[in-house]
Amino acid sequence: MLFTATFSEFYEKFKTSLSDGTFAKLTFAKTIGKTELKNIFIRPILEENELKLELKFRFQKEELFEIHTINQAFNRLLPFINNPFLSVILFTTEFDLTYKLNKKRVVSVTDQHPTFGNANEVLLAYLNK
C-alpha cells in the first residue's frame, strides 16, 4: 500500500519549512518489528550552490548517505512509509509535525509545540546569501 497522497501533503509542509527558513530536522522513526534499518535522517546541504538533501540511512551496523534534490527525495523516501517506518517527524521552529500510521495503517498528522528554537544552520546560510 502506497501512502502517496497523505505523505505528499506532509512533504509539502516540509518543503514550505525549507523555503520559509523554519526547518530544523526531519526523521523517519518507529520501525515495524526488528529491522536492519533503524532511522532515516534528512538534512539540507549545499552542493554547487544548490540546496539539496542528504539522506542518512542508519542501519544496525553502518550508515549510508545519499544526496538528492528536494523533489527527488520524495520518491526515494515514499517506499519507507509503512515499510518499515510508522512515523515521520518534521521539526521546525514553529511546530513539530508528526505523520503516523496506527495498527490499522490509518494515517494521522498531528502538530505540537516546537522542540527546536533554531532552524538548520545550512538552510539559514543558503537563504541569507
Side-chain angles (χ1 to χ4, degrees), residues 31-49:
T31 59
I32 302 167
K34 291 194 174 206
T35 63
E36 284 292 313
L37 181 59
K38 294 297 181 188
N39 299 93
I40 303 173
F41 301 102
I42 296 94
R43 68 183 185 108
I45 61 165
L46 285 179
E47 186 175 77
E48 298 175 7
N49 289 327

Side-chain angles (χ1 to χ4, degrees), residues 48-96:
E48 298 175 7
N49 289 327
E50 183 181 350
L51 190 66
K52 293 190 177 181
L53 299 176
E54 178 185 83
L55 282 52
K56 178 168 81 171
F57 295 86
R58 191 169 92 199
F59 294 88
Q60 286 187 5
K61 297 182 181 182
E62 67 179 328
E63 292 180 347
L64 299 175
F65 296 87
E66 296 179 5
I67 296 173
H68 295 276
T69 66
I70 294 166
N71 290 327
Q72 289 172 337
F74 174 83
N75 290 327
R76 179 66 175 117
L77 294 169
L78 180 62
F80 293 99
I81 301 293
N82 193 41
N83 185 24
F85 295 101
L86 292 177
S87 68
V88 183
I89 306 167
L90 169 63
F91 298 95
T92 75
T93 57
E94 295 177 343
F95 56 83
D96 293 351

